[in-house]
């Protein structure tokens, strides 16, 4: 089966700025593909090239078997898009925008439209200028999700949504994926991609630096643990699944920091028992930290310290 | 909610809060200066150059008092000149003769600049969400409006002073030049304040400018009726119009400085209304609360063209209304033409084609203005394609099967179709009003052909605008309006500046036949049409081929 999206060696520059630097990306049919990267990494540029809004300098991009720059009208009938920053017409209501975008895509299912409005708790009779950022986002989401399409391109679709709506969004994406739709989900929130994606690609400085299933990328989801203890325990370095152990004096005791694979958390806690724990924080690493580590790994691998 | 906050505010110490509401005005004025640092000097230069250029050229052409009196008498006996520009009060005054086109019309343009600037820095900022950002800082509720009014006043005062200095440089006297600057300032400040009020009433910058611009058009029309009335019987009507006030200053004749007090009083009073309105509304809202709209789209809103219709219909309705009003007034003006001409002139005119020749000339001049202004509608409407892109709204649309050529075509149809609508309305209504007031049904067909020949030059303007959108999107707005102003000035003062014919011919409007009465130059119309369509095709192709820009 041919991939829904196949990008090879794609390069795009804006003046002196290189937005995409030989980017490769493959999205298979029927998968939810997380497209992760910090702000300015090139996620939106990639999506805009896939939509024919921007023209690539070199490299190739294939979308649903067609050329995204040339076959705009035929390809766009089969996909829906949610931009990261939704701009609405101040004097059109949300309902009018949803209908307009739906009709442009060849019509939408009224029952599904009504159900989505209900689920996202969106008032469609408000004028565009009266919506908050989150509600503008919902208008674009309902418009995209109510159309019957093969491919969804979502650019940071949950920005501005509250946690309840985020959960609703995830549920809808899962339903669509179960129905066979392909989803490319751009995000800088690791947990969002983790919750939805079958596979993930990580982009940094216009290049995909990691791609694979979540299992394969498990090493990227270590938890950062910082503990203040009276006595630093021995043998932490030897624990499987515990990395980067750093100990430094702190007050009359010590501060201990390390990164831990989720399954190894319990053995870490066992070792810490009796060490006189005074404070403990644990946090999933931010995406930026992952990239920084990925980068330092690259440097270490190349023999540079 | 608004009621409770207002009640709460009233209980606070009034003196302290009133001052506190202006907190932050200074930094906001500097912000406006930073934003307009290119725009403001360019406009000041255009105004000063237009005035001083006219003055210098006239001094060269009519050096003696006798020659000035002669040309002034000729102009004063022309109803079209009096209605469009106002009469020359003192034929012996070099300033009055050389700047006669700049009194009412120049003042109206200064008014346009004032309302444009004040709307840009109040409602425009608010619409883009920047006022919210600024308002969260240490900024009083009245500060954004106070800053916009201060900044606009600064620009207009500097404009007046630079113009006065340029006029002195061109050879006019100092006192006259200063009174002329005052005339412009009076009208400019009046419409600055009016713009400040419409910026509170309308919810978009476009709406605020449209509303204030409509009032400016009305004010201009009132003074045109006053100056165009037979034997000056309605001349008192001029006081009803802030544009007429500029004429009432009597600059370069026997200046009436007290009109400046009237202008200042009007400015302060109307500005106070604007400040009062600020207190009666929420940020981002207009005076009337937003009502809920339709929960689903009407059948008509189903594609690019349907959306374009929704986006353009408000602007078009305003223009149609204005054009209809103007057309009805025109009939009355034409009927009064005889009152302007003394017997000697009538004998001369009889030799040249008589009363009918006079009417033809008057209506032809009127139509050349109408054609040019409908060109402004075409540009304003078509630039919507660019603003849709700049605000990011095109992105979501073009991610649907709507292609760029179709989206561009939707706005081209709105722009050109709008102009055709305006021409049909104006052609029909002027035909009706003139043929009724003169009792001559030949005016139906005369009006129809005068309306029809305006379109080709406007097509060229449309083509230049879409080409700018296609090739240099970021400069499209400035470039289109800059070209329009340049073409307009070429037509207005090009001959006076004795520019070579080929420079004057650069303006597409220079090739529009002067109908009724003039020669119907069919080849020129065909060339303009072909050129316009070619430019449109090239513009759409360029828009198709480039990156969409935010």
């Amino acid at each position: 089966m041919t991939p829904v999206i196949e990008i090879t060696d794609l390069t795009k520059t804006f003046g002196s700025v290189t937005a995409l630097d030989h980017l490769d990306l493959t999205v298979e049919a029927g998968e939810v593909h997380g497209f992760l990267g910090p702000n300015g990494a090139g996620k939106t540029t990639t999506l805009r090239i896939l939509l024919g809004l921007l023209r690539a300098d070199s490299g190739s991009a294939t979308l649903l078997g067609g050329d995204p720059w040339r076959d705009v009208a035929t390809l766009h009938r089969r996909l829906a898009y949610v931009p990261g920053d939704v701009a609405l017409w101040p004097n059109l209501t949300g309902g009018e925008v949803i209908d307009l975008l739906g009709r442009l895509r060849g019509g939408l299912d009224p029952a599904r439209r009504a159900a989505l409005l209900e689920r996202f708790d969106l008032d469609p009779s408000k004028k565009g200028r009266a919506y908050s950022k989150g509600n503008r986002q919902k208008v674009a989401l309902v418009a995209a999700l109510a159309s019957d399409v093969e491919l969804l391109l979502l650019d940071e679709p949950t920005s501005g949504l509250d946690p309840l709506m985020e959960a609703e969004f995830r549920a809808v994406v899962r339903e669509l994926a179960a129905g066979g739709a392909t989803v490319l989900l751009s995000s800088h929130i690791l947990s969002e991609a983790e919750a939805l994606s079958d596979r993930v690609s990580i982009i940094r400085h216009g290049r995909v630096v990691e791609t694979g299933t979540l299992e394969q990328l498990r090493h990227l989801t270590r938890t950062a643990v910082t503990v203040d203890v009276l006595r630093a325990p021995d043998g932490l370095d030897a624990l499987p699944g515990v990395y980067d152990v750093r100990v430094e004096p702190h007050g009359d005791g010590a501060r201990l920091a390390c990164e831990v694979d989720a399954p190894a958390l319990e053995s870490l806690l066992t070792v810490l028992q009796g060490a006189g724990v005074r404070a403990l924080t644990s946090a999933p690493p931010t995406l930026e930290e992952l990239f920084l580590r990925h980068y330092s790994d690259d440097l270490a691998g190349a023999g540079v310290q | 909610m608004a009621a409770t906050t207002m009640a709460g505010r009233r209980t606070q110490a009034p003196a302290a809060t009133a001052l506190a509401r202006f907190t932050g005005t200074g930094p906001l004025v500097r912000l406006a200066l930073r934003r307009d640092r290119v725009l403001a000097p360019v406009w000041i230069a255009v105004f000063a150059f237009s005035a001083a250029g006219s003055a210098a050229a006239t001094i060269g052409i009519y050096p003696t008092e006798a020659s000035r009196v002669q040309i002034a008498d000729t102009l004063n006996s022309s109803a079209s000149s009096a209605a469009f520009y106002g009469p020359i009060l003192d034929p012996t005054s070099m300033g009055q003769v050389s700047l006669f086109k700049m009194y009412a019309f120049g003042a109206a343009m200064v008014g346009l600049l004032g309302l444009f600037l004040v709307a840009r820095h109040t409602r425009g900022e608010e619409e883009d969400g920047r006022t919210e950002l600024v308002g969260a800082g240490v900024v009083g509720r009245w500060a954004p409006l106070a800053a916009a009014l201060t900044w606009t006043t600064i620009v207009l005062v500097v404009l007046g002073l630079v113009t006065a200095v340029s006029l002195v440089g061109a050879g006019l006297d100092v006192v006259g030049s200063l009174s002329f600057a005052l005339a412009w300032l009076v009208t400019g400040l009046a419409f600055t304040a009016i713009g400040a009020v419409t910026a509170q009433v309308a919810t978009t910058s476009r709406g605020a400018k449209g509303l204030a611009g409509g009032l400016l058009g009305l004010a201009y029309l009132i003074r045109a009726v006053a100056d165009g009335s037979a034997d000056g019987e309605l001349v008192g009507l001029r006081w009803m119009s802030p544009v007429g006030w500029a004429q009432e200053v009597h600059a370069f004749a026997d200046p009436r400085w007290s009109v400046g007090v009237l202008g200042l009083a009007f400015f302060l009073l109307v500005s106070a209304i604007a400040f009062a309105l600020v207190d009666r509304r929420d940020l981002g809202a207009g005076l009337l609360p937003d009502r809920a709209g339709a929960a689903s789209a009407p059948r008509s809103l189903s594609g690019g063209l349907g959306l374009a219709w929704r986006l353009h219909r408000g602007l078009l309705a305003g223009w149609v209304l204005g054009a209809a009003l103007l057309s009805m007034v025109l009939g009355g003006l034409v009927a009064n033409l005889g009152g302007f001409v003394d017997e000697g002139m009538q004998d001369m005119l009889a030799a040249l084609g008589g009363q009918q020749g006079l009417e033809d000339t008057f209506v032809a001049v009127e139509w050349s203005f109408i054609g040019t202004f409908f060109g402004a509608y075409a540009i304003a409407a078509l630039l919507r394609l660019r603003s849709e892109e700049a605000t990011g709204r095109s992105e979501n649309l073009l991610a649907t099967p709507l292609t760029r050529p179709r989206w561009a075509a939707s706005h081209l149809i709105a722009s050109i179709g709008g102009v055709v609508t305006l021409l049909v309305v104006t052609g029909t209504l002027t035909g009706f009003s003139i043929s009724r007031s003169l009792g001559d049904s030949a005016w139906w067909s005369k009006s129809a052909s005068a309306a029809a020949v305006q379109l080709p030059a406007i097509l060229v303007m449309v083509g230049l605008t879409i080409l700018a959108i296609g090739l240099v999107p970021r400069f499209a707005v400035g470039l289109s309006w800059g070209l329009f102003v340049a073409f307009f000035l070429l037509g207005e003062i090009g001959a006076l500046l004795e520019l070579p014919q080929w420079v004057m011919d650069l303006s597409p409007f220079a090739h529009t036949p002067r109908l009724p009465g003039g020669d119907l130059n069919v080849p020129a119309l065909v060339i303009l049409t072909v050129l316009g369509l070619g430019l449109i095709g090239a513009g759409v192709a360029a828009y198709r081929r480039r990156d969409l820009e935010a």
Side-chain angles (χ1 to χ4, degrees):
Chain A
M1 202 161 165
T2 52
V4 168
I5 296 172
E6 189 150 39
I7 295 176
T8 346
D9 212 21
L10 198 66
T11 300
K12 175 72 188 174
T13 55
F14 298 105
S16 60
V17 180
T18 304
L20 298 183
D21 182 14
H22 304 285
L23 178 119
D24 298 302
L25 177 71
T26 307
V27 177
E28 303 290 347
E31 74 174 352
V32 177
H33 195 106
F35 192 37
L36 282 166
N39 298 324
K43 302 188 296 289
T44 301
T45 303
T46 307
L47 289 178
R48 285 186 177 158
I49 288 176
L50 287 175
L51 287 164
L53 300 174
L54 301 179
R55 187 177 212 169
D57 297 338
S58 63
S60 78
T62 313
L63 181 77
L64 297 164
D67 177 342
W69 178 257
R70 212 187 51 227
D71 310 327
V72 169
T74 48
L75 290 180
H76 288 190
R77 225 160 255 135
R78 300 163 64 190
L79 64 82
Y81 169 58
V82 175
D85 194 0
V86 179
L88 299 178
W89 295 270
N91 51 346
L92 261 62
T93 65
E96 287 177 324
V97 173
I98 291 168
D99 287 344
L100 171 70
L101 293 174
R103 287 171 190 173
L104 281 166
R105 284 194 192 99
L108 42 74
D109 178 356
R112 191 137 118 206
R113 177 189 187 272
L116 283 165
L117 285 176
E118 177 82 39
R119 288 176 76 169
F120 283 110
D121 191 23
L122 178 69
D123 176 359
S125 64
K126 272 196 183 176
K127 294 276 169 68
R129 58 172 163 266
Y131 285 118
S132 66
K133 161 137 181 64
N135 280 327
R136 288 203 303 273
Q137 201 72 30
K138 288 184 197 171
V139 170
L141 273 174
V142 173
L145 300 176
S147 343
D148 191 18
V149 291
E150 298 163 52
L151 172 65
L152 284 164
L153 298 174
L154 310 175
D155 190 4
E156 304 191 0
T158 58
S159 57
L161 292 192
D162 63 45
L164 276 176
M165 291 304 140
E166 249 182 83
E168 204 58 58
F169 164 76
R170 288 179 191 180
V172 177
V173 170
R174 281 197 197 97
E175 288 162 26
L176 288 172
T182 308
V183 181
L184 179 60
L185 170 70
S186 135
S187 179
H188 61 258
I189 306 162
L190 191 60
S191 60
E192 180 173 282
E194 212 174 359
L196 288 171
S197 308
D198 303 308
R199 288 202 311 145
V200 168
S201 289
I202 292 177
I203 178 174
R204 182 185 161 81
H205 292 334
R207 253 171 198 278
V208 168
V209 290
E210 292 273 359
T211 189
T213 64
L214 284 172
E215 267 321 301
Q216 288 164 337
L217 298 185
R218 184 54 71 197
H219 68 284
L220 291 177
T221 59
R222 292 171 198 161
T223 305
V225 177
T226 311
V227 204
D228 288 351
V229 287
L230 282 175
R231 301 165 297 278
D234 295 326
L236 274 182
D237 284 324
L239 274 181
V242 177
Y243 311 89
D244 265 344
V245 181
R246 290 156 311 228
V247 183
E248 53 190 53
H250 184 75
D252 55 351
R255 172 165 288 179
L256 185 154
C258 59
E259 283 170 15
V260 189
D261 283 338
L265 272 172
E266 182 155 4
S267 50
L268 173 72
L269 289 176
T270 312
V271 172
L272 286 174
Q273 266 178 0
V277 175
R278 286 187 290 196
L280 184 147
T281 56
S282 83
T286 66
L287 209 51
E288 198 57 40
E289 283 168 346
L290 290 178
F291 293 127
L292 285 173
R293 198 174 65 223
H294 181 88
Y295 224 56
S296 59
D297 286 354
D298 281 355
L299 293 175
V304 186
Q305 274 311 339
Chain B
M1 202 200 86
T4 55
T5 43
M6 275 168 64
R9 203 180 292 131
R10 280 199 197 103
T11 59
Q12 293 165 7
T17 48
L19 259 186
R21 289 188 205 176
F22 288 110
T23 308
T25 302
L28 288 179
V29 173
R30 284 196 291 279
L31 175 69
L33 168 71
R34 171 65 183 76
R35 288 192 63 215
D36 287 349
R37 62 181 175 174
V38 178
L39 195 73
V42 167
W43 279 115
I44 290 172
V46 167
F47 277 96
F49 173 79
S50 303
S54 303
T58 311
I59 293 168
I61 301 171
Y62 306 108
T64 65
E65 192 174 301
S67 63
R68 286 201 294 277
V69 171
Q70 193 186 359
I71 182 67
D73 284 347
T74 312
L75 288 168
N76 276 345
S77 64
S78 151
S80 54
S81 166
F84 291 128
Y85 303 111
I88 295 169
L89 298 170
D90 179 359
T92 62
S93 159
M94 176 63 88
Q96 278 271 325
V97 175
S98 61
L99 293 172
F100 91 98
K101 279 188 176 183
M102 295 288 157
Y103 280 85
F105 192 77
M109 291 298 115
V110 176
L112 202 59
L113 178 64
L115 72 89
F116 168 82
L117 280 177
V118 85
R120 167 180 160 87
H121 289 292
T122 51
R123 182 54 74 173
E125 289 288 277
E126 198 168 328
E127 198 182 353
D128 293 345
R130 283 192 287 265
T131 307
E132 193 176 351
L133 190 71
V134 168
V138 187
V139 166
R141 191 167 166 77
W142 283 352
L145 178 58
L149 286 170
T150 309
W151 168 240
T152 308
T153 305
I154 292 172
V155 171
L156 295 184
V157 168
V158 171
L159 186 153
L161 291 176
V162 171
T163 304
V165 169
S166 312
L167 290 178
V168 172
L172 296 175
D173 67 283
V174 176
V175 174
S177 300
L178 283 174
S179 61
F180 183 78
L182 178 72
W184 272 11
L185 193 61
V186 165
T187 305
L189 285 181
F191 283 97
T192 299
I194 289 172
V197 170
T198 60
Q200 310 311 317
V201 176
T203 48
T204 61
S205 171
R206 194 182 289 270
K209 289 174 199 161
L211 212 53
L215 290 171
L216 178 70
L218 188 66
Y220 200 78
L221 199 60
I222 289 174
R223 66 133 289 280
V225 170
D227 288 331
S229 61
D231 301 322
E233 57 191 0
L234 294 175
V235 82
L237 211 57
R238 227 195 251 154
W239 288 102
M240 299 288 293
S241 160
V243 179
W245 299 344
Q247 298 168 276
E248 294 293 351
V249 171
H250 291 190
F252 288 110
D254 184 13
R256 300 202 290 209
W257 302 98
S258 55
V259 178
V261 178
L262 169 71
L264 189 65
F266 182 85
F267 174 73
L268 292 176
L269 181 76
V270 178
S271 298
I273 294 173
F275 280 112
L277 292 177
V278 169
D279 278 349
R280 285 171 199 279
R281 65 179 188 88
D282 293 329
L283 186 69
L287 263 192
L288 304 169
D290 261 328
R291 280 173 308 159
S296 55
R299 201 176 292 276
S300 59
L301 185 63
S302 55
L305 198 56
L307 177 58
W309 167 240
R310 266 296 284 275
L311 298 178
H312 288 276
R313 64 183 183 188
L315 182 70
L316 183 60
W319 276 76
V320 166
L321 196 71
L325 203 63
L326 183 79
S327 307
M328 297 315 286
V329 172
L330 199 63
L333 287 178
V334 175
N336 284 334
L337 287 178
F340 273 88
V341 189
D342 58 27
E343 279 178 29
M345 279 296 285
Q346 274 180 347
D347 291 344
M348 197 180 88
L349 280 168
L352 291 171
Q355 182 72 14
Q356 191 181 339
L358 189 68
E359 288 155 5
D360 282 356
T361 313
F362 177 83
V363 176
V365 172
E366 173 93 9
W367 267 109
S368 82
F369 270 89
I370 293 174
T372 311
F373 284 124
F374 287 177
Y377 169 82
I379 295 172
L382 188 53
L383 281 173
R384 193 80 204 221
L385 178 65
R386 172 58 195 154
S387 71
E388 287 293 298
E389 179 182 3
T391 52
R393 293 192 284 254
S394 289
E395 179 174 327
N396 215 341
L397 284 175
L398 294 175
T400 72
L402 180 68
T403 61
R404 287 195 222 181
R406 286 186 79 98
W407 181 225
S410 304
H411 287 279
L412 283 165
I413 290 170
S415 166
I416 299 170
V419 168
V420 170
T421 308
L422 287 167
L423 288 172
V424 168
V425 168
T426 314
T428 311
L429 289 181
T430 52
F432 167 75
S433 71
I434 302 176
S435 57
R436 205 186 58 159
S437 64
L438 294 182
D440 179 0
S441 63
W443 278 96
W444 284 99
S445 64
K446 279 188 184 182
S447 297
S449 48
V453 296
Q454 306 300 325
L455 190 59
I458 296 175
L459 279 182
V460 174
M461 215 50 247
V462 167
L464 289 169
T465 305
I466 184 84
L467 193 64
I469 294 174
L471 289 179
V472 281
R474 275 157 210 235
F475 305 105
V477 175
L479 209 57
S480 316
W481 286 120
L483 276 176
F484 176 77
V485 171
F487 290 155
F488 181 75
L489 288 179
L490 279 180
E492 281 297 287
I493 57 174
L496 198 57
L497 298 179
E498 295 184 306
L499 294 176
Q501 189 59 40
W502 69 265
V503 176
M504 313 252 286
D505 284 345
L506 287 177
S507 165
F509 301 108
H511 305 281
T512 299
R514 295 296 184 104
L515 291 187
D519 290 328
L520 179 63
N521 186 348
V522 176
L525 291 176
V526 171
I527 291 171
L528 283 176
T529 306
V530 171
L531 180 65
L533 294 177
L535 288 168
I536 290 171
V540 173
Y543 177 67
R544 165 72 186 95
R545 293 180 56 80
R546 69 170 166 83
D547 284 351
L548 199 72
E549 289 188 11

